[in-house]
Amino acid sequence: MSSKILELKNVSKIYGNLKALADINLSVNSGDWLSIMGPSGSGKTTMINIIGCMDTPSIGSVILDGVDISKESAANLTRIRRDKIGLIFQQFHLISYLTAVENVMVAQYYHSMPDEEEALEALAKVGLADRANHLPAQLSGGEQQRVCIARALINSPQILLGDEPTGNLDEYNEGIVVDIFRKLHDEGVTIIIVTHDPEVGDAAQRKIILEHGRVILQSKI
Amino acid sequence: MFWHMIIKTLIRQRSKMLMIAFTVILGVSLSTAMMNVMLGVGDKVNRELKVYGANITVRHKDAALMSDLYGLNEGLGVNDKFLYEEDVLKLKTIFWGFNIIDFAPMLDGRATMNSSSEVSLTGTWTEKHAVLSTGEELSTGLKSLRKWWDVKGEWLNENDDDSVMVGSILASENDIHIGDKITLTNDSYTKDYTVKGIFNDGGNSDSKILMTLSAVQDIMNLHGKVSSIEISALTTPDNDLARKAAQDPHSLSPDEYETWYCTAYVSAICHQIQEVIRDGVAKPVRQVAESEGTILNKTTLLMVLITILSSIGSALAISNLITASVIERSQELGLLKALGAYNWQIALLVLAEIMLTSLIGGILGYFLGIGFAQVIGQTVFGSYIEIARMVILIVAVILFFVTIAGSIPAIRYLMALKPTEVLHGK
């Protein structure tokens, strides 16, 4: 039986009079693939920021790999994020003046030590071995997102966290990225993805739907 | 990876980095020029001020006493007290002899001109050439001490014992022209002299006749005697120690005395002059000495202010440029935070980029500043400014702190930067 890697207990995030998240309870087992869906302003990004250690809840606790991270300092959250989370962004956020392999190595540099061979292996895993020395501007959107996935995977995180990872991709590239996720899931990687796209959402093993900061539907696919 | 990112950032942001480097070049060049001029300007400003005349006079101690007690500068007890001409060249043998730029002995006398009116005479060295006992050659005299004189005709030469120069008022009152002959008589001594020049001093001297020292000694029958000595010396502005010593050098402790004696305070130079001029009392012409000190201090202050203002200006310009650069890169820096970089690691990255740019700008600015200093030296003082090595250290320290100070707003901005705010730009 899989172990629990993440648990949200009565998590709320309040900005002034606005409750971005309201009393969320959620648990994710190691190796799960979870989609978080919902309309704009439903709290998806707030939730992923909290899970990704880039924000803390106003109320409630977040247990990540057995550690309550809801009261950790900013520096500790940075360390935890670096060690346990791999981030994928809708807009890729590659450093424009570094090549694909160098972008992967940046994540290694801030985690431990850059290793070009390992970075090249990560790129090969997402099908970009031959594009390693290209700058982001020389890559297509789909290729840039695959570099972003390689960068997220390079430090072997416990959770791969994607914020609209296919939001900027065409159907063809979306298919490639979803296939990569499928392969990673088969390998046992825990994946949590925020998405608007029903096809991407349906590819996951589990799905939750948020509205006005509350979970209105939680289902197994 | 660290240096790789820095180099690539410098190349990518080269226009901004060039602007930062240009700001640093301007600031450093100005600071370097001002500091080199400031450190080398003391003697140069002093030399410039020497055109305004002597700053020390030496008189016989009794004549000086009469002047101090009763305000008498002529008459019995003053005019009949003399120094020895043979002592005059000893001035260059004192510890601060090198700082004595020019000097001239003066002998005052009176004679009857053309058997009609009585006139005042002043005998002096106009352009004395001598070889000291040390072998050093010397050229000094009143011509160097009265650079502001407007002279029609010519100055007297060293051995022009048959010529005179006449003050402009006296010449005008008696209708004397260049080339005229005048007869001077004192007791049984009578001699004709040719008017070689007419001078305009703007003071009492315009009613006098100027002659060579030996000519006046002959008329007054005072061979080997002088009334006073005018001295122009390079001095250090007075401070509390100098003022205390001027009142009584014996009140100083041995250490204070050594410091005072070995510093070119006007009182220290006067003290040493008295050691070689028999019966002489040397006194600073306070107004001139203090003006020199004031002008020197103000010149130095002005340059320090320019250096400070240029540093502040550079810091502000650097601050704007760095902040603009960091804001422009906020997504990239936010990403690094998201990937696990601590605040200090990102601050170090940005500071290293700025420091490297400042270092390059600083080196170029230093050499440009040396050029500026030489231009100032040539234009203002007509000579090269000596390069002070300590300026390198001072400029490096100023540059370091200016760069750090200029980076503070940018560092504060990136410390407060939240990855969530810059990475979800939907």
Side-chain angles (χ1 to χ4, degrees):
Chain A
M1 192 180 148
S2 310
S3 61
K4 202 177 281 182
I5 188 79
L6 175 73
E7 189 171 15
L8 274 66
K9 290 181 180 171
N10 308 111
V11 167
S12 295
K13 182 72 184 179
I14 304 163
Y15 299 104
N17 294 325
L18 177 75
K19 255 190 174 179
L21 287 179
D23 203 26
I24 301 284
N25 287 287
L26 175 75
S27 68
V28 178
N29 288 331
S30 185
D32 277 2
W33 179 359
L34 171 72
S35 290
I36 303 170
M37 300 186 71
S40 293
S42 59
K44 303 188 300 291
T45 300
T46 305
M47 193 164 169
I48 214 160
N49 285 342
I50 290 172
I51 296 170
C53 303
M54 291 186 283
D55 204 351
T56 50
S58 308
I59 301 168
S61 56
V62 179
I63 314 295
L64 176 62
D65 199 21
V67 177
D68 185 356
I69 59 166
S70 54
K71 301 286 184 288
E72 290 291 348
S73 66
N76 277 347
L77 286 176
T78 299
R79 181 180 49 77
I80 294 165
R81 180 169 65 244
R82 189 183 62 193
D83 292 341
K84 298 183 187 294
I85 308 287
L87 291 165
I88 304 166
F89 306 97
Q90 179 182 355
Q91 291 170 323
F92 326 132
H93 291 306
L94 299 177
I95 298 174
S96 61
Y97 53 87
L98 298 181
T99 61
V101 69
E102 286 168 347
N103 265 285
V104 177
M105 287 163 71
V106 167
Q108 287 180 308
Y109 172 71
Y110 286 111
H111 179 267
S112 48
M113 195 175 277
D115 182 337
E116 192 170 1
E117 209 172 307
E118 225 175 83
L120 286 168
E121 276 173 28
L123 284 174
K125 203 169 175 182
V126 294
L128 287 177
D130 56 337
R131 309 287 276 166
N133 292 314
H134 286 69
L135 290 169
Q138 296 166 323
L139 301 174
S140 70
E143 287 172 328
Q144 287 187 51
Q145 191 58 294
R146 281 143 70 191
V147 175
C148 190
I149 294 169
R151 182 178 64 189
L153 290 171
I154 190 68
N155 296 319
S156 308
Q158 288 174 332
I159 298 175
L160 188 64
L161 211 53
D163 182 12
E164 300 279 9
T166 57
N168 274 359
L169 302 182
D170 57 27
E171 209 173 320
Y172 172 74
N173 281 301
E174 182 182 298
I176 294 175
V177 168
V178 170
D179 280 347
I180 291 171
F181 287 150
R182 208 166 273 136
K183 205 186 293 175
L184 291 170
H185 177 239
D186 291 345
E187 289 170 9
V189 175
T190 309
I191 303 170
I192 301 175
I193 284 169
V194 163
T195 183
H196 268 103
D197 189 329
E199 279 184 38
V200 179
D202 290 346
Q205 171 194 24
R206 274 174 66 203
K207 179 164 78 172
I208 62 170
I209 297 178
L210 291 177
E211 203 171 292
H212 301 303
R214 293 179 185 279
V215 177
I216 59 161
L217 181 73
Q218 194 159 177
S219 67
K220 284 203 171 186
I221 296 165
Chain B
M1 180 53 70
F2 180 78
W3 290 108
H4 187 68
M5 286 174 76
I6 286 174
I7 300 296
K8 288 213 167 181
T9 301
L10 292 181
I11 294 168
R12 192 174 62 98
Q13 294 217 312
R14 57 187 170 278
S15 59
K16 266 200 184 58
M17 293 303 164
L18 277 173
M19 286 292 286
I20 292 172
F22 184 65
T23 307
V24 170
I25 288 170
L26 281 182
V28 168
S29 61
L30 202 55
S31 300
T32 302
M34 288 300 117
M35 270 186 286
N36 273 307
V37 172
M38 188 176 76
L39 292 172
V41 79
D43 281 356
K44 291 191 173 11
V45 168
N46 249 330
R47 278 177 200 279
E48 288 294 316
L49 291 170
K50 292 304 160 229
V51 299
Y52 301 109
N55 53 2
I56 296 171
T57 56
V58 190
R59 302 173 77 181
H60 189 279
K61 61 186 178 187
D62 292 342
L65 188 65
M66 293 297 276
S67 175
D68 287 348
L69 289 179
Y70 307 113
L72 296 176
N73 287 315
E74 55 185 342
L76 207 60
V78 177
N79 286 358
D80 57 348
K81 299 296 179 185
F82 300 101
L83 303 171
Y84 301 94
E85 185 184 356
E86 65 193 40
D87 289 346
V88 177
L89 286 176
K90 290 178 187 170
L91 287 171
K92 289 297 278 185
T93 64
I94 67 169
F95 181 78
W96 286 110
F98 189 69
N99 278 38
I100 292 180
I101 305 292
D102 288 301
F103 54 93
M106 314 290 273
L107 178 61
D108 297 322
R110 297 186 77 80
T112 305
M113 183 174 72
N114 297 335
S115 307
S116 57
S117 57
E118 195 169 67
V119 293
S120 295
L121 313 174
T122 299
T124 187
W125 294 346
T126 49
E127 231 180 331
K128 174 80 172 177
H129 298 282
V131 179
L132 302 175
S133 55
T134 56
E136 185 192 342
E137 285 196 22
L138 174 78
S139 179
T140 186
L142 200 71
K143 193 173 174 182
S144 304
L145 287 170
R146 299 283 191 274
K147 285 182 178 166
W148 71 89
W149 274 14
D150 179 19
V151 176
K152 288 175 185 160
E154 290 176 36
W155 272 89
L156 299 176
N157 292 328
E158 193 176 357
N159 300 314
D160 256 340
D161 292 343
D162 299 328
S163 302
V164 295
M165 290 173 77
V166 181
S168 56
I169 293 174
L170 185 66
S172 165
E173 285 174 354
N174 295 281
D175 197 25
I176 298 170
H177 302 281
I178 294 162
D180 287 357
K181 295 272 183 194
I182 60 169
T183 306
L184 295 175
T185 308
N186 183 39
D187 294 336
S188 57
Y189 188 93
T190 299
K191 188 174 175 181
D192 291 339
Y193 298 89
T194 307
V195 177
K196 198 173 179 185
I198 293 173
F199 62 86
N200 185 7
D201 168 63
N204 291 339
S205 300
D206 289 342
S207 300
K208 292 183 177 179
I209 291 176
L210 186 76
M211 308 172 72
T212 61
L213 181 62
S214 55
V216 175
Q217 284 171 340
D218 287 343
I219 294 174
M220 304 306 295
N221 194 23
L222 289 170
H223 296 284
K225 303 284 174 64
V226 298
S227 309
S228 61
I229 307 166
E230 287 192 10
I231 299 165
S232 180
L234 295 177
T235 58
T236 300
D238 274 0
N239 59 7
D240 289 343
L241 175 66
R243 280 186 276 275
K244 184 180 173 187
Q247 287 179 345
D248 182 11
H250 300 295
S251 66
L252 303 178
S253 68
D255 283 348
E256 284 178 330
Y257 184 84
E258 194 178 333
T259 305
W260 169 73
Y261 195 89
C262 297
T263 307
Y265 298 123
V266 68
S267 53
I269 294 176
C270 285
H271 182 77
Q272 291 165 23
I273 289 170
Q274 287 170 192
E275 291 174 344
V276 296
I277 304 292
R278 279 174 291 169
D279 299 330
V281 172
K283 289 196 178 253
V285 181
R286 268 296 156 199
Q287 208 175 354
V288 175
E290 284 175 5
S291 296
E292 286 172 3
T294 305
I295 289 172
L296 193 59
N297 285 339
K298 286 190 174 176
T299 309
T300 306
L301 181 65
L302 181 70
M303 293 186 183
V304 169
L305 282 176
I306 291 173
T307 304
I308 291 171
L309 287 175
S310 76
S311 301
I312 292 172
S314 299
L316 287 173
I318 289 172
S319 170
N320 283 336
L321 289 164
I322 297 174
T323 307
S325 162
V326 166
I327 289 172
E328 198 177 276
R329 295 167 62 198
S330 53
Q331 273 202 348
E332 175 195 328
L333 299 175
L335 171 76
L336 297 182
K337 282 192 179 190
L339 292 179
Y342 290 115
N343 277 338
W344 66 264
Q345 287 178 306
I346 299 175
L348 189 69
L349 185 75
V350 172
L351 275 177
E353 290 165 11
I354 305 305
M355 284 292 177
L356 197 62
T357 309
S358 292
L359 180 69
I360 294 166
I363 291 169
L364 293 174
Y366 175 76
F367 287 107
L368 190 65
I370 288 176
F372 282 159
Q374 299 313 332
V375 170
I376 293 169
Q378 284 292 328
T379 312
V380 180
F381 303 108
S383 66
Y384 285 106
I385 300 281
E386 198 175 326
I387 302 306
R389 283 189 190 167
M390 68 185 293
V391 170
I392 298 175
L393 184 67
I394 297 171
V395 166
V397 171
I398 290 176
L399 179 60
F400 177 78
F401 284 107
V402 161
T403 308
I404 293 287
S407 306
I408 287 173
I411 299 296
R412 281 168 60 98
Y413 173 84
L414 71 83
M415 289 284 184
L417 186 72
K418 289 184 176 165
T420 52
E421 290 170 3
V422 290
L423 296 178
H424 298 300
K426 292 177 183 173

